[in-house]
Coordinates of all heavy atoms in Angstrom, one line a residue:
L663 N 114.3 46.9 154.8 CA 115.3 46.1 153.9 C 114.5 45.4 152.9 O 114.9 45.3 151.7 CB 116.1 45.2 154.8 CG 117.2 44.4 154.1 CD1 118.2 45.3 153.5 CD2 117.9 43.4 155.1
L664 N 113.4 44.7 153.2 CA 112.6 44.0 152.3 C 111.1 44.3 152.7 O 110.9 44.7 153.8 CB 112.8 42.5 152.3 CG 114.2 42.0 151.9 CD1 114.4 40.5 152.1 CD2 114.4 42.3 150.4
A665 N 110.2 44.1 151.7 CA 108.8 44.3 152.0 C 108.4 43.4 153.2 O 108.5 42.1 153.1 CB 108.0 44.1 150.8
G666 N 107.8 43.9 154.2 CA 107.4 43.1 155.3 C 108.5 42.7 156.3 O 108.2 41.9 157.2
S667 N 109.7 43.1 156.0 CA 110.8 42.7 156.9 C 110.9 43.6 158.1 O 110.5 44.8 158.1 CB 112.1 42.8 156.1 OG 113.2 42.6 157.0
D668 N 111.4 43.1 159.2 CA 111.5 43.8 160.5 C 112.9 44.6 160.5 O 113.1 45.4 161.4 CB 111.5 42.9 161.7 CG 110.0 42.4 161.9 OD1 109.1 43.1 161.5 OD2 109.9 41.2 162.4
Q669 N 113.7 44.3 159.6 CA 115.0 45.0 159.5 C 114.9 46.3 158.7 O 114.2 46.3 157.7 CB 116.1 44.1 158.8 CG 116.4 42.9 159.7 CD 117.5 42.0 159.0 OE1 117.6 41.9 157.8 NE2 118.4 41.5 159.9
V670 N 115.5 47.3 159.2 CA 115.3 48.7 158.7 C 116.7 49.2 158.3 O 117.7 49.1 159.1 CB 114.6 49.6 159.7 CG1 114.5 51.0 159.1 CG2 113.3 49.1 160.1
L671 N 116.7 49.8 157.1 CA 117.9 50.6 156.7 C 117.8 52.0 157.1 O 116.7 52.6 156.8 CB 118.1 50.4 155.2 CG 118.8 49.2 154.7 CD1 118.8 49.1 153.2 CD2 120.2 49.0 155.2
I672 N 118.7 52.6 157.7 CA 118.7 54.0 158.1 C 119.8 54.7 157.4 O 121.0 54.3 157.4 CB 118.9 54.2 159.6 CG1 117.9 53.4 160.4 CG2 118.9 55.7 160.0 CD1 118.1 53.4 161.9
F673 N 119.4 55.7 156.6 CA 120.4 56.5 155.8 C 120.6 57.9 156.6 O 119.6 58.5 156.9 CB 119.9 56.8 154.4 CG 119.8 55.5 153.6 CD1 118.5 54.9 153.5 CD2 120.8 55.0 152.9 CE1 118.4 53.7 152.8 CE2 120.7 53.8 152.2 CZ 119.5 53.2 152.1
L674 N 121.8 58.2 156.8 CA 122.2 59.4 157.6 C 122.8 60.4 156.6 O 124.0 60.2 156.2 CB 123.1 59.1 158.7 CG 122.6 58.1 159.8 CD1 123.6 57.8 160.8 CD2 121.3 58.5 160.4
D675 N 122.1 61.4 156.2 CA 122.6 62.4 155.3 C 123.3 63.5 156.0 O 122.7 64.2 156.9 CB 121.5 63.0 154.4 CG 120.8 61.9 153.5 OD1 121.6 61.1 153.0 OD2 119.6 62.0 153.3
D676 N 124.6 63.7 155.8 CA 125.4 64.7 156.4 C 124.9 66.1 155.9 O 125.1 66.4 154.7 CB 126.9 64.5 156.2 CG 127.7 65.4 157.0 OD1 127.2 66.4 157.6 OD2 129.0 65.2 157.0
T677 N 124.4 67.0 156.8 CA 124.0 68.3 156.3 C 125.1 69.2 155.8 O 124.9 70.0 155.0 CB 123.2 69.0 157.5 OG1 124.1 69.1 158.6 CG2 122.0 68.2 157.8
S678 N 126.3 68.9 156.3 CA 127.5 69.7 155.9 C 127.7 69.4 154.4 O 128.1 70.4 153.6 CB 128.7 69.4 156.7 OG 129.1 68.1 156.6
L679 N 127.6 68.2 153.9 CA 127.7 67.9 152.5 C 126.7 68.5 151.7 O 126.9 69.1 150.6 CB 127.7 66.3 152.3 CG 128.8 65.5 153.0 CD1 128.6 64.1 152.7 CD2 130.2 66.0 152.5
L680 N 125.4 68.5 152.2 CA 124.3 69.1 151.5 C 124.6 70.7 151.5 O 124.3 71.3 150.4 CB 123.0 68.8 152.2 CG 122.6 67.4 152.3 CD1 121.3 67.2 153.1 CD2 122.5 66.8 150.9
S681 N 125.1 71.2 152.5 CA 125.4 72.7 152.5 C 126.4 73.0 151.5 O 126.3 74.0 150.8 CB 125.8 73.1 153.9 OG 124.8 72.8 154.9
R682 N 127.5 72.2 151.4 CA 128.5 72.5 150.5 C 128.0 72.3 149.0 O 128.4 73.1 148.1 CB 129.7 71.5 150.7 CG 130.6 71.9 151.9 CD 131.9 71.3 151.8 NE 131.9 69.8 152.1 CZ 131.9 69.3 153.3 NH1 132.1 70.1 154.3 NH2 131.9 68.0 153.5
H683 N 127.1 71.4 148.8 CA 126.5 71.2 147.5 C 125.7 72.5 147.2 O 125.7 73.0 146.0 CB 125.7 70.0 147.4 CG 125.0 69.7 146.1 ND1 125.8 69.5 145.0 CD2 123.7 69.7 145.7 CE1 124.9 69.3 143.9 NE2 123.7 69.5 144.4
A684 N 124.9 72.9 148.2 CA 124.1 74.1 147.9 C 125.0 75.3 147.7 O 124.7 76.2 146.9 CB 123.2 74.3 149.1
E685 N 126.1 75.4 148.4 CA 127.0 76.5 148.2 C 127.6 76.5 146.8 O 127.8 77.6 146.2 CB 128.2 76.4 149.3 CG 127.7 76.8 150.7 CD 128.8 76.6 151.7 OE1 129.9 76.2 151.3 OE2 128.6 76.9 152.9
S686 N 128.0 75.3 146.4 CA 128.5 75.3 145.0 C 127.5 75.7 144.0 O 127.9 76.4 143.0 CB 129.0 73.8 144.7 OG 127.9 72.9 144.7
M687 N 126.3 75.3 144.2 CA 125.2 75.8 143.2 C 125.0 77.3 143.4 O 124.9 78.0 142.3 CB 123.9 75.0 143.5 CG 124.0 73.6 143.3 SD 122.4 72.7 143.7 CE 121.3 73.5 142.5
T688 N 125.1 77.8 144.6 CA 124.9 79.2 144.8 C 126.1 80.0 144.2 O 125.9 81.1 143.6 CB 124.8 79.5 146.3 OG1 123.7 78.8 146.9 CG2 124.6 81.0 146.5
L689 N 127.3 79.5 144.3 CA 128.5 80.1 143.8 C 128.4 80.1 142.2 O 128.8 81.1 141.6 CB 129.7 79.5 144.2 CG 130.1 79.7 145.7 CD1 131.3 78.9 146.1 CD2 130.4 81.2 146.0
A690 N 127.9 79.1 141.7 CA 127.8 79.0 140.2 C 126.8 80.1 139.8 O 127.0 80.8 138.8 CB 127.3 77.7 139.8
T691 N 125.7 80.2 140.5 CA 124.7 81.2 140.2 C 125.3 82.6 140.4 O 125.0 83.6 139.6 CB 123.4 81.0 141.0 OG1 122.9 79.7 140.8 CG2 122.3 82.0 140.6
L692 N 126.0 82.7 141.5 CA 126.6 84.0 141.8 C 127.6 84.4 140.8 O 127.8 85.6 140.4 CB 127.3 84.0 143.2 CG 128.0 85.3 143.7 CD1 126.9 86.4 143.9 CD2 128.7 85.0 145.0
G693 N 128.4 83.5 140.2 CA 129.3 83.8 139.2 C 128.6 84.4 138.0 O 129.1 85.4 137.4
R694 N 127.5 83.8 137.6 CA 126.8 84.4 136.4 C 126.2 85.7 136.8 O 126.2 86.6 136.0 CB 125.7 83.4 136.0 CG 126.2 82.1 135.5 CD 125.1 81.3 134.8 NE 124.1 80.8 135.8 CZ 124.2 79.7 136.5 NH1 125.2 78.8 136.2 NH2 123.3 79.3 137.4
F695 N 125.7 85.8 138.0 CA 125.1 87.1 138.4 C 126.2 88.2 138.5 O 126.0 89.4 138.1 CB 124.4 87.0 139.8 CG 124.0 88.3 140.4 CD1 122.9 89.0 139.9 CD2 124.7 88.8 141.4 CE1 122.5 90.1 140.4 CE2 124.3 90.0 142.0 CZ 123.2 90.7 141.5
S696 N 127.4 87.9 139.1 CA 128.4 88.9 139.3 C 128.9 89.3 137.9 O 129.3 90.5 137.7 CB 129.6 88.3 140.1 OG 130.1 87.1 139.5
A697 N 129.0 88.4 137.0 CA 129.5 88.8 135.6 C 128.5 89.8 135.0 O 128.9 90.8 134.4 CB 129.6 87.5 134.7
S698 N 127.2 89.5 135.2 CA 126.2 90.4 134.6 C 126.2 91.8 135.4 O 126.2 92.8 134.7 CB 124.8 89.8 134.7 OG 123.8 90.7 134.3

């Protein structure tokens, strides 16, 4: 939380959100590829 502090912030990244973001990027790339 602060430099030298004993309190810790834990961030939990949901992998399903990351997967959907990766899917959207993949679909955008696939759209360009499919058009070609």
Side-chain angles (χ1 to χ4, degrees):
L663 183 62
L664 297 172
S667 173
D668 291 329
Q669 293 184 324
V670 178
L671 280 173
I672 304 177
F673 298 94
L674 304 176
D675 296 322
D676 189 349
T677 56
S678 61
L679 298 178
L680 299 177
S681 299
R682 283 196 289 271
H683 180 64
E685 287 175 1
S686 63
M687 295 179 62
T688 304
L689 288 174
T691 305
L692 181 63
R694 294 190 294 269
F695 171 74
S696 61
S698 176

